[in-house]
Amino acid sequence: MATVLLLWAAGALGPAGALINLTVPLPAAYIHMRRGPLTGCGVVILAAAVLLAAGDQAGVLAYLLQFGLASMVLPFLLRRNWPWDRAVAGTLVVLLAVGGITLTAYSSARGLPVTELVGQYLDSEVESALAIYQQANLPEDQLEELQATIRQMAVFLLRAWPALMTVATAGVLLINVLMLSALSRGRYEMPGGHFRSWKAPELLVWPLILGGFGMMYAQGLAEQVSLNVLTLLLPLYFMQGLAVVTHYFQKRGIPPFFRGLGYLLLTVLNPLPLMVVAVGVFDLWADFRNPKIKKKQS
C-alpha cells in the first residue's frame, strides 16, 4: 500500500510531486531485498491490483513500466551480488528495452512516428506551462521572456529526448540504490565498492571528446547524435566528480549536515555543476584520489 500512497501523493501534488515519484520503487525494492523475489514481486502485483481496482487502467501500465519493473529487476541483481553500478546499468537496459518496445507498439497503433508522438506530448506540456504563466499576472516583458525560454527548452527536449529519458531513468535507479543502502543496516548486503572510489569506464572519454567536436562542427543528424551523446555522458562525469568530492569530504571528516549542504550547492548553483563535471573528466588523468607523490632526489 505504501507504493500506491506514494503514487497518489505524487499525483495530488502536481509538479511538487516529482520528488515523491523518485521514491515509488523503494517499498517493493526494500521488501524484495529483505524477503526475497516472491514477496517483492507480490508487492508490485498488489500495487497494480489496487490501481486497477480504483479504475486507473492507464496508471497500472505507467506504474509497471516506470516503477514496478525497476522494483523487481534492481534488487534481483543486487541480491545476486552484482555491484551497485552494474546492477543499475543492467536494470536500465531492461527498462529501456521494455519501454522502447512499448512506445514503438503504441506509436504504430496510433499510426505516428515515435518522434512525432513525443513532439505532441511536449507540445501539450508546453501549452500547459504557458497557460499557468499567463494566469500568474506577470509583466508583459517577463511573460514573453518565459514563453521564449519554454519554447527553446521544448526544442532541446525534442532533440535530446532519448538521452534525457535514459538519464532520468538512471537517476531514479541511483536514488533508490542510495536509499536501499541507507536502509540496509545489516539486514542485507549492498554489493560493490564505496561511491567515493567510483570511476566511469575510461573508454567513455573518447565518445565524450567526439561528441564535443560534433557539437562544434557537425550539422544535421550528426549534431543531434553528438547532443545525445553529451547528454548521456556528462552526468556520468558529474557522478565521478561527486565521487572525488565525497572522497575529500570523508577524508577531512566533514559533518553529514555540511556534506548534504555541499552536495546541494554543487548540484544546483551555477557554475558549480560544470566544475564538478570538469573534476570528473580530469580525474581520468590527474587521479585526484590517489595523487602521485614525487620523490626527492638525494
Side-chain angles (χ1 to χ4, degrees):
M1 287 301 295
T3 300
V4 177
L5 291 175
L6 288 172
L7 280 170
W8 285 344
L13 291 175
L19 293 177
I20 297 178
N21 265 330
L22 300 177
T23 65
V24 171
L26 182 62
Y30 174 72
I31 292 174
H32 190 147
M33 292 295 293
R34 289 202 63 184
R35 305 297 183 187
L38 289 178
T39 308
C41 292
V43 173
V44 173
I45 295 172
L46 178 61
V50 172
L51 290 172
L52 187 61
D56 190 4
Q57 296 180 355
V60 173
L61 181 60
Y63 163 68
L64 291 175
L65 289 176
Q66 295 180 20
F67 307 115
L69 192 57
S71 300
M72 294 186 288
V73 178
L74 180 61
F76 178 84
L77 297 178
L78 289 171
R79 282 172 59 89
R80 276 147 187 78
N81 291 320
W82 284 44
W84 61 266
D85 53 348
R86 287 184 57 201
V88 167
T91 306
L92 181 62
V93 169
V94 173
L95 295 181
L96 292 178
V98 174
I101 292 170
T102 304
L103 182 60
T104 302
Y106 180 69
S107 66
S108 298
R110 293 281 303 273
L112 296 172
V114 172
T115 303
E116 186 173 344
L117 194 65
V118 174
Q120 290 181 358
Y121 171 77
L122 290 175
D123 288 341
S124 66
E125 292 296 313
V126 167
E127 293 303 321
S128 299
L130 292 176
I132 292 174
Y133 285 119
Q134 286 174 351
Q135 296 173 1
N137 295 323
L138 294 172
E140 188 67 26
D141 56 341
Q142 292 185 17
L143 182 60
E144 291 179 358
E145 185 176 350
L146 283 171
Q147 290 175 340
T149 301
I150 291 173
R151 290 193 174 95
Q152 289 175 1
M153 180 63 68
V155 172
F156 167 74
L157 292 175
L158 183 59
R159 296 182 66 207
W161 70 267
L164 289 171
M165 185 171 63
T166 303
V167 170
T169 305
V172 172
L173 295 174
L174 287 168
I175 289 171
N176 280 270
V177 164
L178 177 63
M179 291 187 289
L180 285 172
S181 178
L183 293 171
S184 62
R185 300 188 179 184
R187 301 183 183 98
Y188 49 81
E189 296 294 329
M190 289 293 292
H194 293 289
F195 176 66
R196 64 176 179 268
S197 303
W198 186 82
K199 287 187 175 183
E202 293 186 1
L203 289 177
L204 291 180
V205 72
W206 298 112
L208 180 72
I209 293 171
L210 290 175
F213 278 109
M215 285 299 297
M216 288 188 292
Y217 300 112
Q219 295 180 351
L221 179 60
E223 182 187 13
Q224 185 169 352
V225 171
S226 299
L227 174 63
N228 278 270
V229 168
L230 290 180
T231 305
L232 277 175
L233 295 183
L234 289 178
L236 281 177
Y237 288 102
F238 178 80
M239 274 185 60
Q240 183 161 334
L242 278 185
V244 173
V245 172
T246 301
H247 170 80
Y248 282 102
F249 277 174
Q250 295 186 356
K251 184 177 180 179
R252 297 182 179 277
I254 304 298
F257 172 80
F258 291 105
R259 288 188 206 176
L261 181 61
Y263 291 137
L264 179 63
L265 293 176
L266 290 172
T267 302
V268 302
L269 186 62
N270 284 326
L272 294 182
L274 292 177
M275 295 173 65
V276 175
V277 171
V279 169
V281 173
F282 286 106
D283 185 54
L284 295 172
W285 297 279
D287 198 4
F288 295 118
R289 287 161 285 190
N290 297 290
K292 296 180 180 179
I293 301 175
K294 294 182 179 179
K295 295 182 179 180
K296 294 183 179 180
Q297 296 181 353
S298 56

